[in-house]
Amino acid sequence: MAEQLSRTHPLEAWLPAFAELSGAVRISAEPFVPMTVLRADPATAGDVRIRGAALPTAPGSWASAGAGWLIWLGPDEWLLTGPGAAPEALEEELRTLLRPVGGSAADVSAQRIGIRLGGPRARQVLAKGCSIDLHPRVFTPGQSAQTTLGQAGVLLLALGEDEFAVLVRSSFGGYLASWLLDASLEYAAPALTS
Amino acid sequence: MSSSFRTPDGGRIDRSTTLEFVFDGQSYAGHAGDTLASALLASGRHSIATSVKLGRPRGIAAAWAEDPSGLVQIEEPFPEPMLLATTVELYDGLAAHGLPGQGRLADVPDSARYDAMHAHVDVLVVGAGPAGLAAALTAARAGARVALVDEQAEAGGALLGSDDRLDGSPAADWVASAVVELAAHPEVLHLQRTTAFGLYDDGFVLALQRRTDHLGGAAPRHEARQRVWRIRARQIVVAAGAHERPVVFADNDRPGIMLAGGARTFLHRYGVRAGSEAVVFTTNDSAYAAAVDLADAGVRVAAVVDARPEAPGHWLAACADRGIPVRSGSVVTGTDGDERVAAAHVAPLADGRPGDAEPIACDLLLVSGGWNPAVHLFSQARGTLRFDAALGAFLPAEELDGVAVAGSAAGVMDLAGCLADGRRVGAAALAALAVGAPAEPALPAADDAPAGLGPMTLWRVPDGGDGSTSFVDLQRDATVADLARAAGAGLRSMEHVKRFTTIGTAHDQGKTSGVLASGITAELLGIPIQATGTTTFRPPYTPVAFAALAGRDRGRLFDPERTTAVHDWHVAEGAVFEDVGQWKRPRYYPRAGEDMEAAVLRECAATRSGVGILDGSTLGKIDVQGPDAAVLLDRLYTNLMSSLKVGSVRYGVMCGVDGMVIDDGTVLRLAEDRFLVLTTTGGAAKILDWMEEWVQTEWPELRVHLASVTEQWSTFPVVGPRSRDVIGAVFGDVDVSNEAFPFMTWRDTTLGGVPVRLARISFSGELAYEVYVSSWYALAVWERLVEAGRPHGITPYGTETMHVLRAEKGYPIIGQDTDGTVTPHDLGMAWAVSKKKPDFVGKRSFSRPANQNPLRKQLVGLLPVDRETVLPEGSQIVEFRDDGRLPAPPVPMLGHVTSSYRSAELGRPFALALVKGGRARIGDTVHVPVGGTLVPVEVTGSVLVDPEGARRDG
């Protein structure tokens, strides 16, 4: 059985509905990328560079790391996302990097899926189910939050003025996709028939 | 119907738009901008319904949410009960009828949408009257993030119902310019039709926005009809205005008796004369404006009855100009009338007692007993109130951090004062935020009437009888007589009086009746009203529909549905799903014509005789890494984990500090410094929290890190004597022989370049392999396994079959066969409790005397002697009775059935049970009461299938 195994995206069934939204809200599924959770004491891991980036220490922040993100999850915890090595190879590489400084790494590539949310109404859509302050001066690009959206725990990243990434446990993907489509209805319904 | 009571012009209605509606089966017409109440009054209709207990006719008694009586049931476009005619905006096609107290919920699902929105602001202003607008303007001009919410259809507050002028122009012009200016500030959120109904700690306010109610059947389907705003404000300005208060007298409940300010609002806002012949009864200056304005609009005002000994000079002159007689030092003692008030009884007041009364004919009796500042939100924030004797009202008595009160809500009763107070409080809110007050133009000049005479505090006019027709709460039909009974029964607290009399418990929550009840109770008890105080103000300020509170959390979005990566396959195969927490798990896969029992018997037999496959991906999985990983697991599991070899698997039990089992599962040692811990599906989050708590709070010195990988790894047990063939076929490079791959070991391999981990773990007693793969590839691997299993008749099975197979082997489900009071020893798992380890969580408790009691409940098997009865789970177990009859209670209970199934393997039903001293009873027969009969059952060991363990290696 040497042939490649196919990958199945949990949101495959929702992609057509995402595509039908008008421009006021854009929703898309992020492609599969390796994700690794990193643990280390910043006091001993200060010199560590991950794809050129230092481990961010500001709570609720993220930094660019290669073509992906290095996201602060806690005082000694980060999530690295982005294309590159295969998940298991990346895990091994990071374990090797972090073990000498008392750290660890675990492959969590399939633990979460990413949803990209954009458009002039994206903030309103989020505000329907997220209690943090999403004001453009408060939740600025480079910031992240571990919060709830609807009834799902999410990792929310401000990517740009009207651009967000929502990382959610894969099992909640369908719920969150339905929730987002429903929340977008009044702004971006493909064919409004009242 | 003609609109005989509509003025020829004026009002804020659109006379060019006619709206047809039906009330009590009769057709009416109104205009855009009307409420149901104003449109009915324009047609001369006051009566709405009869009262809840006494059946007395009741009408419209106010112009907004303070109305105690005008409740209606909407029928079209969608049934909705218990709305006030005064707050229902008119729309075409509305059909409603009056309600005697209670309404009727729709018996069809509500197809409207409801949602919620979070907002964060620097300053929240509640109320868009003069004070609120001034405060919002000040905050907005400073660049603050402002929310202005107001419950009416348009801004203006009390100005909507008056003919006030500002800077020589109608006040509405200033309101309009303020609204335009606010709209130009990008940081201002201005919401009309939005009621701030609850104020909570730390500046959290809930507000209900009625977005499309006023559109009736034309409301767009894709927009939420109502929205709950969840506003977090650093500073809150409550500028909610004031409610006029009536005076209680005999027969004060007839249709046509109305608050004076309400009638003035109907006139100025809706162009409606509330009657043709009016008597005005007042204790203060404000009602004179109503008398004068109504007279100017063509209503014959038969008298102004002023309870004060003297009437204010300038109002006397204004009344004289219009030929309105003023009777100072007089009160209304009662009324005549049937469906509508026909006369007011007016008597002079001497030494606080009314003299002989004279009837004055009228079809409208306006009443003003002063004003109650709307302190609800302030009081909800636990602000204390004080009684202001000069004003005759309760006012905020303190300053709250982050909550300020402005305008008439703070007792400021003139327009100039409200504007100035709003600006002052707005600036104070900015100062609290360390924002400087902006440069602002001068406030507009108001044309307030000259200062007149102070109000007289008069709660009620003695009726010479028992007060049983002197209504305090019209909606509850509660009277002065009820208050007298409460006082006579010894009640002193207004909280008790409220519950005894039900005053203030209706839809309006006592907006007109609450303070009256306090005042009259104080009189009855002979104590000052300061001593009685008010009842506590609680949310919601006005009623909020449950549908609005539920918002979008209904239907499929009521509770998240968690699905595994293989979910769609299960759906396509016709699986019946079971909710396990939030997970959707296949329960069984029925074939045509099969019920659950038939399907499960088939799935069980196929698995035990051939091979089955289960989606076990919901199992909790925790990655444990670090040099001290083994130390941590040794401390948390009852058994030893540090001795586990890399490549091996061990079953483990976790206990709480009380020594009771909290979770169980297997542990894979992946490396010297790395383990994969498996938890139960339901325990996944709880056990990670439990482990983190110990690491973070008790043993921070341990060099160990935890990560949830529950959804990273999909898990598929392939189970049964033919499982080796299937695994061998799919993973050709793995030596699946028992020698090379023994029980309780794991092996890594790849499939199409994708890493796969195989583990010899069995939750059924059969030869079995668990297949772990990244959930990215879960479906592909699952399909390979199913395809490879086809020659062997591989059977997908669900949780029900999983439960039967594990129960046949006596494997407990934590949380089903245990309930937090069960130790590993009770489960017969003393073997899983280390005697070597110096300590672990729960160990201390095992030596307690209660844990040594031989009569503790122990897990045993039960076999119904009739080989037929499936014992209901939860059934009680009692001693065997020779006569087969349950004795009279109390019947000592020996335990209960925890799991019960029909077994394909045994060919009979069986059960697991917790039984007192159960292991000593093995071989005994006991009784289980089932549906009125006693079913004899044999107590057995908990392992009923393959107790020798001969099958696990195939």
Side-chain angles (χ1 to χ4, degrees):
Chain A
M1 296 238 181
E3 73 264 37
Q4 284 288 308
L5 291 181
S6 59
R7 297 186 300 196
T8 314
H9 198 288
L11 294 186
E12 210 160 81
W14 278 268
L15 300 182
F18 290 168
E20 279 181 27
L21 290 173
S22 78
V25 182
R26 298 184 305 272
I27 305 177
S28 58
E30 291 278 89
F32 283 119
V33 292
M35 296 191 216
T36 317
V37 65
L38 311 176
R39 300 291 300 272
D41 181 349
T44 55
D47 295 332
V48 168
R49 293 291 177 275
I50 312 281
R51 293 178 173 164
L55 295 166
T57 53
S61 68
W62 62 269
S64 289
W69 309 311
L70 186 50
I71 307 161
W72 183 95
L73 293 182
D76 64 350
E77 187 174 3
W78 297 265
L79 184 71
L80 175 71
T81 81
E88 61 278 10
L90 181 64
E91 180 195 84
E92 193 46 47
E93 177 192 327
L94 292 165
R95 259 168 71 77
T96 305
L97 179 72
L98 291 172
R99 221 171 344 195
V101 294
S104 68
D107 175 20
V108 288
S109 304
Q111 177 83 349
R112 297 176 180 85
I113 55 163
I115 297 176
R116 187 72 71 107
L117 184 67
R121 293 292 200 162
R123 276 174 207 272
Q124 270 109 321
V125 169
L126 291 172
K128 286 187 178 186
C130 181
S131 61
I132 67 165
D133 190 350
L134 298 165
H135 191 279
R137 281 203 310 269
V138 177
F139 193 59
T140 55
Q143 288 195 305
S144 68
Q146 292 166 88
T147 181
T148 53
L149 183 54
Q151 298 179 61
V154 298
L155 180 52
L156 181 65
L157 274 64
L159 302 179
E161 177 76 7
D162 286 326
E163 193 80 6
F164 302 90
V166 183
L167 301 180
V168 64
R169 292 287 194 101
S170 308
S171 64
F172 285 93
Y175 163 79
L176 197 64
S178 300
W179 190 94
L180 285 168
L181 284 168
D182 186 72
S184 304
L185 192 63
E186 68 175 302
Y187 309 123
L192 285 180
T193 49
S194 55
Chain B
M1 288 286 289
S2 67
S3 293
S4 53
F5 291 88
R6 193 76 77 174
T7 57
D9 48 34
R12 303 190 63 77
I13 51 168
D14 175 8
R15 291 166 192 264
S16 66
T17 308
T18 298
L19 305 173
E20 309 279 342
F21 69 101
V22 174
F23 188 77
D24 273 354
Q26 196 170 341
S27 296
Y28 294 90
H31 295 301
D34 263 326
T35 61
L36 176 57
S38 70
L40 288 171
L41 291 174
S43 300
R45 176 162 187 155
H46 274 251
S47 285
I48 294 295
T50 53
S51 68
V52 62
K53 281 193 298 194
L54 304 173
R56 291 169 66 105
R58 294 283 161 77
I60 295 158
W64 187 248
E66 65 274 24
D67 184 7
S69 54
L71 282 181
V72 299
Q73 165 93 35
I74 306 279
E75 293 294 353
E76 298 289 342
F78 184 80
E80 196 172 6
M82 308 288 282
L83 299 179
L84 275 173
T86 54
T87 62
V88 172
E89 291 182 54
L90 193 67
Y91 46 83
D92 208 46
L94 172 71
H97 60 81
L99 276 184
Q102 287 178 338
R104 177 181 62 79
L105 287 172
D107 51 13
V108 293
D110 186 351
S111 61
R113 296 174 61 82
Y114 300 85
D115 70 4
M117 187 78 92
H118 294 268
H120 297 254
V121 293
D122 296 321
V123 182
L124 167 67
V125 180
V126 178
L133 284 170
L137 283 170
T138 296
R141 285 165 178 164
R145 295 168 66 186
V146 177
L148 171 63
V149 303
D150 182 90
E151 57 185 343
Q152 303 272 354
E154 56 178 327
L159 299 175
L160 296 169
S162 78
D163 59 352
D164 285 302
R165 299 178 77 80
L166 286 168
D167 280 344
S169 301
D173 294 352
W174 176 78
V175 171
S177 70
V179 168
V180 167
E181 181 181 342
L182 288 170
H185 287 286
E187 298 292 353
V188 172
L189 173 71
H190 176 192
L191 302 170
Q192 291 295 146
R193 298 188 174 98
T194 303
T195 306
F197 65 82
L199 194 157
Y200 306 86
D201 288 347
D202 302 319
F204 184 51
V205 172
L206 293 180
L208 179 76
Q209 182 184 20
R210 293 169 298 279
R211 300 176 78 212
T212 66
D213 289 49
H214 60 290
L215 301 176
R221 313 296 298 168
H222 62 281
E223 276 180 37
R225 174 180 181 231
Q226 297 182 352
R227 171 171 289 170
V228 173
W229 285 83
R230 307 172 65 85
I231 304 169
R232 288 164 178 86
R234 298 166 69 195
Q235 295 289 317
I236 298 167
V237 177
V238 177
H243 298 128
E244 197 165 23
R245 182 174 73 216
V247 179
V248 176
F249 49 84
D251 298 318
N252 59 334
D253 62 328
R254 299 188 200 283
I257 301 176
M258 183 182 287
L259 290 167
R264 195 165 178 242
T265 296
F266 283 119
L267 176 67
H268 290 296
R269 183 165 177 187
Y270 304 105
V272 171
R273 291 182 292 251
S276 34
E277 199 161 17
V279 169
V280 180
F281 174 31
T282 188
T283 64
N284 63 89
D285 285 7
S286 71
Y288 283 88
V292 165
D293 291 355
L294 284 169
D296 290 348
V299 177
R300 198 182 85 79
V301 180
V304 172
V305 179
D306 193 331
R308 296 171 294 182
E310 281 188 50
H314 62 282
W315 284 119
L316 272 177
C319 287
D321 286 349
R322 292 159 178 85
I324 304 172
V326 175
R327 300 192 181 202
S328 56
S330 296
V331 293
V332 171
T333 61
T335 64
D336 295 330
D338 189 6
E339 286 296 306
R340 174 91 178 255
V341 65
H345 302 178
V346 177
L349 194 63
D351 298 328
R353 308 294 305 176
D356 290 339
E358 168 201 348
I360 301 179
C362 61
D363 63 359
L364 181 66
L365 172 54
L366 302 185
V367 183
S368 177
W371 294 81
N372 292 328
V375 293
H376 301 65
L377 294 177
F378 176 82
S379 177
Q380 287 177 19
R382 300 192 197 103
T384 53
L385 305 175
R386 68 178 174 84
F387 186 76
D388 184 298
L391 204 60
F394 285 94
L395 293 178
E398 60 178 330
E399 296 202 344
L400 290 181
D401 193 20
V403 182
V405 186
S408 38
V412 180
M413 293 301 171
D414 62 307
L415 177 51
C418 282
L419 290 166
D421 200 43
R423 179 172 284 191
R424 178 187 66 78
V425 172
L430 291 173
L433 297 168
V435 174
E440 291 190 272
L443 285 165
D447 65 342
D448 283 304
L453 298 173
M456 171 181 176
T457 299
L458 178 67
W459 310 115
R460 59 164 176 159
V461 176
D463 68 356
D466 65 356
S468 60
T469 66
S470 291
F471 289 89
V472 180
D473 188 330
L474 272 65
Q475 185 57 223
R476 289 292 188 231
D477 270 341
T479 64
V480 171
D482 295 314
L483 287 173
R485 264 192 292 278
L491 304 185
R492 293 294 181 274
S493 158
M494 284 315 295
E495 299 291 356
H496 292 158
V497 171
K498 171 180 176 177
R499 283 146 186 90
F500 186 89
T501 61
T502 72
I503 290 172
T505 61
H507 67 281
D508 60 330
Q509 290 286 291
K511 289 185 178 60
T512 53
S513 60
V515 174
L516 283 177
S518 293
I520 296 170
T521 300
E523 279 183 10
L524 292 168
L525 295 174
I527 59 175
I529 187 171
Q530 291 90 325
T532 60
T534 66
T535 55
T536 305
F537 292 85
R538 284 186 304 240
Y541 170 71
T542 48
V544 179
F546 281 113
L549 295 175
R552 297 165 53 227
D553 293 337
R554 59 184 201 176
R556 289 295 292 273
L557 298 180
F558 174 69
D559 195 28
E561 291 178 359
R562 301 180 70 183
T563 54
T564 73
V566 194
H567 184 75
D568 291 348
W569 190 95
H570 304 315
V571 172
E573 289 295 312
V576 173
F577 288 88
E578 176 182 30
D579 291 334
V580 181
Q582 291 176 318
W583 288 102
K584 288 281 176 200
R585 297 196 67 180
R587 191 173 190 188
Y588 57 98
Y589 299 80
R591 290 184 180 164
E594 277 185 343
D595 59 7
M596 183 168 95
E597 185 173 296
V600 170
L601 285 172
R602 172 181 53 75
E603 291 173 10
C604 286
T607 303
R608 287 225 186 271
S609 64
V611 57
I613 184 168
L614 172 79
D615 183 0
S617 304
T618 62
L619 281 178
K621 303 170 201 83
I622 300 168
D623 181 272
V624 183
Q625 281 191 54
D628 294 326
V631 178
L632 175 68
L633 298 187
D634 272 352
R635 292 185 190 177
L636 291 177
Y637 280 100
T638 59
N639 48 343
L640 198 61
M641 288 297 174
S642 53
S643 61
L644 186 64
K645 291 187 179 62
V646 174
S648 287
V649 181
R650 188 165 288 166
Y651 172 81
V653 175
M654 277 194 205
C655 289
V657 290
D658 56 3
M660 303 303 161
V661 176
I662 58 170
D663 207 64
D664 71 341
T666 49
V667 176
L668 283 64
R669 189 162 204 167
L670 305 182
E672 276 305 313
D673 65 347
R674 193 174 193 186
F675 294 81
L676 180 65
V677 164
L678 287 121
T679 75
T680 56
T681 296
K686 185 179 65 186
I687 294 302
L688 180 59
D689 284 351
W690 172 251
M691 294 172 72
E692 280 285 3
E693 184 178 343
W694 285 99
V695 169
Q696 292 184 26
T697 66
E698 299 296 324
W699 307 318
E701 73 282 0
L702 291 187
R703 296 161 300 163
V704 61
H705 292 132
L706 310 171
S708 170
V709 288
T710 296
E711 283 146 89
Q712 164 66 24
W713 302 111
S714 289
T715 310
F716 309 135
V718 179
V719 179
R722 298 268 73 81
S723 59
R724 181 170 283 138
D725 301 326
V726 178
I727 296 296
V730 176
F731 306 100
D733 55 345
V734 178
D735 182 348
V736 293
S737 69
N738 196 48
E739 295 68 36
F741 192 169
F743 184 60
M744 293 304 252
T745 62
W746 60 266
R747 300 288 181 262
D748 273 349
T749 182
T750 59
L751 185 64
V754 174
V756 173
R757 178 164 296 140
L758 305 173
R760 284 275 314 269
I761 297 169
S762 180
F763 196 41
S764 59
E766 298 297 330
L767 174 69
Y769 298 80
E770 289 185 353
V771 179
Y772 293 78
V773 64
S774 160
S775 295
W776 283 1
Y777 302 97
L779 182 61
V781 170
W782 174 274
E783 287 176 335
R784 294 282 181 101
L785 291 165
V786 170
E787 192 55 39
R790 220 175 282 284
H792 308 285
I794 194 166
T795 299
Y797 67 89
T799 50
E800 197 65 23
T801 292
M802 176 189 81
H803 278 276
V804 177
L805 298 179
R806 64 87 201 173
E808 288 172 341
K809 286 289 291 181
Y811 298 149
I813 298 270
I814 306 307
Q816 172 165 338
D817 300 296
T818 72
D819 59 4
T821 68
V822 179
T823 68
H825 312 82
D826 298 337
L827 294 173
M829 290 188 180
W831 56 267
V833 179
S834 168
K835 294 180 182 62
K836 294 184 203 151
K837 289 197 290 185
D839 202 5
F840 54 87
V841 174
K843 179 183 170 99
R844 175 202 60 182
S845 300
F846 293 150
S847 55
R848 294 184 310 175
N851 287 59
Q852 310 298 322
N853 185 347
L855 286 182
R856 285 186 66 80
K857 287 183 188 167
Q858 295 164 338
L859 188 72
V860 292
L862 299 180
L863 289 172
V865 173
D866 66 4
R867 304 182 69 90
E868 191 46 47
T869 305
V870 180
L871 302 171
E873 287 173 355
S875 294
Q876 300 294 318
I877 296 160
V878 300
E879 293 283 8
F880 184 81
R881 302 284 304 178
D882 284 331
D883 60 359
R885 289 191 186 164
L886 201 60
V891 183
M893 92 146 201
L894 302 179
H896 67 280
V897 175
T898 58
S899 295
S900 177
Y901 311 96
R902 192 177 289 281
S903 168
E905 182 72 16
L906 301 170
R908 63 189 293 186
F910 74 105
L912 295 178
L914 286 169
V915 177
K916 282 181 185 166
R919 282 197 287 278
R921 287 177 176 270
I922 290 174
D924 291 359
T925 303
V926 292
H927 265 144
V928 176
V930 178
T933 61
L934 292 182
V935 176
V937 301
E938 184 194 345
V939 180
T940 72
S942 58
V943 186
L944 290 158
V945 168
D946 186 25
E948 312 78 27
R951 297 177 168 199
R952 63 157 220 226
D953 293 329

